[in-house]
Amino acid sequence: MEKEQDVTVAKSAGFCPGVKRAIDKVLELEAAGKKPVYTIGPLIHNKQVTDMLAAKQITSIDLPQDAADKSGVLVIRAHGITPEFQQDVQSHGMEVVDATCPLVKHAQNIIAKFAEQGYHTVIVGDGGHAEVIGLLGYAKGNGTVVAGAEEAAKLPHFEKVNVVSQTTQKESDFYAAAEEIKKHADECQISNTICQPTKDRQKETVEQAKKADLVIVVGGKHSANTARLAFLCKNLCPHVQHVETEEELLEEEVIRAHKIFITAGASTPNWVIDRVAARVKELRKPGAKSILPVLQKTWRFLVKNAFYTASAAAALSYVCMRLEGIRPDARLAAFAWLFVFAGTAFNRSTEAAYAKNKIFLRFASFACAAGALGVAAWLGLKTFALCAILMTAGFLYPFRNTLTAQLPPLPGTKDFATALGWAFACAFLPAYQYGLLSRKATYLAIVYTLLLVFMRSVTLGFSSANKDMIIGRESFYKAFGIKKTKWVVALILAALTAALGTLWTLTWKPALVAMLLIGDLYTIFIVIYYYGRNATRSVKDETLVDGQFFVLWALSALAALL
């Protein structure tokens, strides 16, 4: 649980394991080239996430026959479906992947078990909810749904009854209904099928909402568990806001509140919660009329819109030129800035997370691509041709799945592609332009850049995964898991040191190499910081990670004076 400025962010907020598992499954299918991917009903009741999934050709349909492309994959969402509907889905000849939450599956099995023994099933939940409809299908036509104790009081008498719950129900409501149902049965089996993450979220919400004078519940307006959470808070706190994004916040109420508690439903990703929390804290900062908020807003703009990343690439190009024994060339630094900005901005313009800035990012990326090609033409015809080929490949990267549908997937391609693009602009092109590709020092500088940028990309990917960003197996972390990623990063740190050590043994720029070895300490700090941290973060992720290139630039400039 994070607390700052009398603003508490719930530790239990964000994706529940079942939702995260379902999202991971569809992302793995998409990355493996099994597309289009169809989910039977919306995978998650959160517009921001569904927009991201739609951008990856993961769409929702109501019935299997609605699938336009029969070569695609049908995914049963976390809510589960009835046995009869599952048979219908299986009969259409398409590949079917069952992403039913294991805890929902557990509830289904309990219902089926007691139904076989002649028990009537009573489900405490929302009658129209997809999960409840699926659960009812396992009752063998002998089931009833009640919303709570009031409806349970109207039930007839049962000889044997099995009481279960929708997995996201309020526990006190479930037990109140179960106690009432006991009065209507000779034999009553009570099966508490509420999932543990829901229990944890409700417990924390009750404890914290009582202490707050404003609760902000983040999540989709059509999400039943999020709406239930908001309703719970209204009975505990004088002011409650249910918002989908930070733009819906009632700012005056946020500023006036003394203590604020922020929580979210099981279908809300952490990065959406992050944005709401960051906006709340920004509104509550003292000195609202000072220049500080303006500077912070400007900095967010520069980081989010790739200006900071491009500047980091220009700084790295200076380091590479120094390593390669090239007198710093402003044209090459400008090319690195324009090249990296164009590729980064264009890729971000294709992602739903940057939808608000899509037009600006798309326009700026094309403008900088033209600028980069202009600089390349100034450097020479061969350089122009080479840069045009690489830049075209970079612009086609977001559409790689469409273009390579028949090729096997390559896990971790996003991080590899990023490292190759930066290495080309920052290390290879300067050496190529000055005819220094035959030097050992040049190849060591290229390897150094490749490793450094690859580790940078992996680290940012890991921080995104911690925030539940919608990333697939093209991210190294998602493709190979946390343990292997940690080992790879440790090996890269060793390889970086070895590359610099080899340059040292070659007596190549000893003062510069010594400074870069010192710069390794910052890189090590960044790795330790992110691999040991899993809390809410803001745009400082890129600020810290890309900050290593500015540190290396400063150390390289200092070495030039020694």
Side-chain angles (χ1 to χ4, degrees), residues 148-154 175-185:
E150 188 176 338
E151 290 187 12
K154 301 175 184 177
Y175 280 122
E179 287 300 317
E180 180 61 39
I181 294 167
K182 275 185 180 180
K183 303 172 185 177
H184 298 253

Side-chain angles (χ1 to χ4, degrees), residues 203-506:
K203 180 181 178 182
E204 184 181 24
T205 298
V206 169
E207 291 175 355
Q208 295 299 323
K210 289 178 179 179
K211 302 174 185 177
D213 52 356
L214 171 60
V215 174
I216 299 172
V217 182
V218 187
K221 297 293 175 61
H222 300 294
S223 167
N225 76 84
T226 306
R228 191 176 297 111
L229 202 61
F231 180 78
L232 171 65
C233 292
K234 286 177 182 178
N235 295 323
L236 302 169
C237 180
H239 302 286
V240 176
Q241 294 184 27
H242 180 181
V243 302
E244 289 192 354
T245 69
E246 70 276 15
E247 295 175 355
E248 297 178 11
L249 287 168
L250 300 177
E251 297 185 357
E252 288 299 323
E253 197 169 65
V254 170
I255 295 169
R256 287 197 308 268
H258 294 293
K259 290 187 177 181
I260 297 176
F261 174 56
I262 300 174
T263 187
S267 58
T268 309
N270 282 341
W271 59 270
V272 174
I273 304 168
D274 287 353
R275 290 182 177 181
V276 172
R279 180 59 181 156
V280 167
K281 291 171 185 176
E282 180 184 354
L283 289 169
R284 292 172 64 79
K285 282 184 177 177
K289 294 182 180 179
S290 71
I291 194 172
L292 185 59
V294 177
L295 293 176
Q296 289 174 331
K297 187 174 182 179
T298 302
W299 186 249
R300 277 201 310 273
F301 176 83
L302 293 175
V303 172
K304 283 187 170 184
N305 292 287
F307 289 96
Y308 180 71
T309 300
S311 299
L316 182 59
S317 72
Y318 171 84
V319 176
C320 292
M321 285 186 273
R322 291 291 320 283
L323 268 176
E324 293 167 344
I326 299 170
R327 184 176 180 179
D329 187 329
R331 297 174 302 171
L332 293 168
F335 175 82
W337 194 99
L338 293 165
F339 181 88
V340 170
F341 181 93
T344 305
F346 184 77
N347 272 273
R348 289 184 180 181
S349 74
T350 65
E351 298 175 11
Y354 297 92
K356 284 169 49 178
N357 296 342
K358 179 177 180 178
I359 295 176
F360 169 79
L361 287 170
R362 191 66 59 88
F363 174 80
S365 66
F366 286 131
C368 285
L373 290 176
V375 174
W378 184 11
L379 294 170
L381 184 60
K382 289 183 179 180
T383 301
F384 172 81
L386 184 61
C387 292
I389 293 171
L390 266 294
M391 189 162 290
T392 300
F395 273 77
L396 291 176
Y397 179 81
F399 311 104
R400 62 200 175 282
N401 290 336
T402 302
L403 300 170
T404 61
Q406 304 305 317
L407 298 179
L410 298 175
T413 51
K414 180 179 180 180
D415 299 322
F416 288 118
T418 300
L420 287 171
W422 281 52
F424 166 76
C426 300
F428 178 85
L429 189 61
Y432 174 80
Q433 185 65 26
Y434 282 88
L436 302 176
L437 289 177
S438 60
R439 287 187 180 182
K440 291 181 181 178
T442 295
Y443 286 103
L444 284 169
I446 293 173
V447 170
Y448 173 76
T449 305
L450 271 170
L451 293 173
L452 195 63
V453 178
F454 179 75
M455 187 163 58
R456 170 252 184 203
S457 186
V458 169
T459 304
L460 283 174
F462 178 75
S463 69
S464 295
N466 276 343
K467 294 194 292 183
D468 293 325
M469 293 293 284
I470 307 302
I471 55 177
R473 286 174 60 83
E474 67 268 23
S475 168
F476 190 90
Y477 163 75
K478 291 293 287 184
F480 299 103
I482 180 62
K483 289 185 179 180
K484 289 183 180 178
T485 301
K486 284 186 175 181
W487 273 108
V488 167
V489 169
L491 290 172
I492 290 175
L493 282 170
L496 283 170
T497 306
L500 292 172
T502 303
L503 285 169
W504 181 279
T505 61
L506 294 173

